[in-house]
Structures are given as C-alpha cells and as structure tokens.
Amino acid sequence: MTAKESFENQYEDYSPEHSCNILNDSKDAISATFGNKLQNFGMSKLDQLLKMEKDIFYDGTVYTGSAGLAFYYLINSLKSENSHEILNRALDFINLDNLKGRRISFLCGDAGPLALATVISYKLGKRRPEHLPDYKNLTQRLINLISLLNDSPDELLYGKAGYLYALLFVNRHISGKEVIPANHIEKVINSILKSGKQLSSQMRSECPLLWQWHDKIYYGAAHGMAGILYILLQARLYINIIEFRSFIKPTLDWLLTKRYSSGNFQSSFESSSGDRLVQWCHGAPGFIPLCVLAHQIFEDDKYLKVALQCGDIVWERGLCTKGYSLCHGVGGNAYAFIQLYQATKKTVYLYRACCFTEWCCVERKGTELRRPDRPASLFEGLLGRIWLTDDIAHLHDARFPAFSL
C-alpha cells in the first residue's frame, strides 16, 4: 500500500503491560479513564454539531444527511430511561415531506427515514406528536417502495440490499409483531437472487450469483457482493434452504478466493487498481462482519480464519489517510476490531479497536489528508465518530450503523 492510502501504524500491539491506560483491570472493557475521555469527546462534539446550522446536512438521508442524526438518537433511546424525550429529538431530523420516491435504500434513499419514523412512531405510541403519522401508515409507505424494486441496483448504499436492511430493521425494533409481512421480504430477496443468477449466467461464471453496480462487479461492503451477502445472511430465516445452500454459500466461498497475496480483498472483478484500499467500503474491513457471521451460521472455522487474517491487515494498514469516516476511514476500521472482539472475546481486538478510536478522537495534525465533503454526517463525518465512541463503551450492543442488525 502506498503512503497515500494509509499512515504507518506506530501503536504498539497488545500486551498486558501496554494496555493499562486503555483497558480495565479484567481486560474486557475500556478503562474508566479512557471512557471518560471518550465521553467528553462525544458530548463536546455532539454539542458542536448541534450548534451548527441545519444546512450542514447535505440532504435528508441517513448516509450524508439529517436522518443520520435521527438514527443516532433512536439507537440511544434504546439505552435510556428518557426514551420519550430522545425519540422526539430524533424527529427534529426527519422530514418525511421531502422524500422524493426515487431511491429505495436505507442509507441513501427513502427507506431510511421511513423506517426510522416507523419505529419512532411505534415506540411513542399514543404520545406521538400530531404531525407524525401512525406507524401503520408509515409501514405502508415503506412497503410501497417496492414499486422501485425492478429499477434499483442490488447493492447496499442505493439498492435492494439497502431496502432489505430497512425492512429487517423495522421488524427487529418492533418486537412481537410482524410489521413487514414475510412474503414482502421474500419478494425483495428473490429479486436480489434473480439478478445474481442472471448476471452469473450472462458471464458464464462458476460463481452462482454475481451482482454489478454501474456496470462493474464490486466485491466490497458498500457497493458489492460482500455487503449484499451480509444482508442476505442476516435475512436467512426468510430464505429457502435450497437457495441458501446451493447459491448463497457457494457464492460466499467463491468470493473469499478473491484476495491478493497479502490477504486483502480485491475491490472489483478484474480490478487494475492494485492492493491499495483497506477500508469498510472496499477491502478487508467490510469482509470481517460477513466472515464472522458465516462462521456462526455454518460453524466452519475457515470463515473465522479469514476474518482474523483481515483483522491483521486492518491493524497494519487501516489508519487511512482519507480521515476518520465510517465508510472509507479509520472509524469504520475500528468497527472491524469491535466485531472481532465480539466474536472471539480476545483482548487484542478490543485493544486495537481502542487504538483506532483514539486516533479518530485525538485528531492529530496531519492525520486527515482529505476533508470530508459532508463533515457533519454519519458515514463521512463527525457523527460517525460520535457513534463509535458510544459503541466502544457499550460493546455488547455495538453494531456497525445501517449494516449490522
């Protein structure tokens, strides 16, 4: 990897002697000292963000827009006794009247704000404000987005996989009710599988499922096969076992062969860009949650082995010069270590997650060579770092936003 893509990692790797200021005595959580530093960072940065003008948000989406802040408040309401107040705060950052009905996904489309509003409306119940529709009406609007299905790509940021996440998100957070009918979720899954089979047949590929975005077969989490497969694995209860074993698993196994000699993953089919990118959207970090979940489902150690190898690559090359973002920066790479710690309970991954989080919070001069286009946003900017500092203090509940359910 060239110097343009990452900084040299000068943190000492984990040993009990070098972790005393970051981890607690039992080495299974962050220390009180480090936790206080992160809490102070999060509170001051959130206060700073809220004092900015609302037009700092590019749009109303979760990815670059104000709905990312609504998402943050919704997730925080689940941990708080003052959930009613926090949920109402979340509503300040959702504008359902501005939805254009053009994009289907959670992150960059209408499904995100609608899914968030649906869950908030349900949780507020009779205490919801008059301007917020009943959750059943919002659910129907979310369901009606299926009209965009055939004209949408399959990937996570703009496409069907992102819509599938939104549907699963609503059902997860409205417990005890199947708000989104199973047959509706199955239609989305079947459309994704149909696209994958068609492109595979067209390409005469040995891989049973292939998907493309902008005429390119991407492999990573944001636009590619790793992201689609990860969402499908999380939706496995809605998938026919024959499809799962005959198409999804062989596709996963084929994808895991698309690695450089370093162990990092290629960004796309026949990519000429070389072994450069180590970030959530392209490269090893985005494959870690996929491999961890595959290991849990299939109980095959080969998937965990790949995940652990990816973790070493992230440690060596994951201090991205692009900055601290979740999508293509150090913040997203910190989540790779959180996920490995959750899967293995090995202290080394918690320690590494802390080091990358510290990097994101200290903001040393010269560690962000490309200022984000949307500096307040969840996936490109400050809000993603605030979310990360919350999650590393609550490891059991930590989830990569809009990716891990």
Side-chain angles (χ1 to χ4, degrees), residues 207-235:
C207 180
L209 299 170
L210 292 174
W211 298 278
Q212 62 184 357
W213 185 71
H214 286 189
D215 300 321
K216 206 168 185 179
I217 299 171
Y218 284 96
Y219 293 150
H223 301 299
M225 295 176 64
I228 296 169
L229 288 170
Y230 183 55
I231 302 300
L232 288 174
L233 290 188
Q234 291 180 92

Side-chain angles (χ1 to χ4, degrees), residues 257-272:
T257 68
K258 303 305 168 184
R259 306 169 75 189
Y260 294 107
S261 58
S262 69
N264 191 30
F265 279 88
Q266 300 169 24
S267 60
S268 62
F269 179 69
E270 296 184 342
S271 173
S272 60

Side-chain angles (χ1 to χ4, degrees), residues 236-337:
R236 59 192 177 278
L237 294 180
Y238 299 93
I239 301 175
N240 179 285
I241 189 63
I242 296 174
E243 297 272 33
F244 200 74
R245 293 286 178 177
S246 301
F247 289 91
I248 293 176
K249 187 178 184 297
T251 297
L252 168 63
D253 291 339
W254 177 88
L255 181 62
L256 296 188
T257 68
K258 303 305 168 184
R259 306 169 75 189
Y260 294 107
S261 58
S262 69
N264 191 30
F265 279 88
Q266 300 169 24
S267 60
S268 62
F269 179 69
E270 296 184 342
S271 173
S272 60
S273 61
D275 184 2
R276 299 186 303 110
L277 302 177
V278 179
Q279 53 200 42
W280 173 78
C281 49
H282 299 291
F287 283 80
I288 287 175
L290 171 63
C291 292
V292 165
L293 183 55
H295 174 250
Q296 293 167 355
I297 293 171
F298 300 114
E299 299 181 339
D300 189 331
D301 287 343
K302 71 178 182 182
Y303 299 114
L304 183 60
K305 182 179 179 181
V306 173
L308 298 178
Q309 290 171 345
C310 285
D312 289 337
I313 292 164
V314 178
W315 178 247
E316 294 165 9
R317 299 164 52 186
L319 293 176
C320 306
T321 59
K322 294 175 184 175
Y324 318 117
S325 75
L326 295 184
C327 182
H328 41 264
V330 183
N333 290 351
Y335 270 100
F337 296 127

Side-chain angles (χ1 to χ4, degrees), residues 9-15 18 315 351-352 355:
N9 186 351
Q10 296 186 349
Y11 289 105
E12 292 190 55
D13 206 353
Y14 172 73
S15 70
H18 296 304
W315 178 247
Y351 171 80
R352 290 177 174 184
C355 290

Side-chain angles (χ1 to χ4, degrees), residues 5-25:
E5 298 295 343
S6 72
F7 296 103
E8 181 181 352
N9 186 351
Q10 296 186 349
Y11 289 105
E12 292 190 55
D13 206 353
Y14 172 73
S15 70
E17 295 77 23
H18 296 304
S19 63
C20 55
N21 293 327
I22 291 181
L23 303 181
N24 65 5
D25 291 340

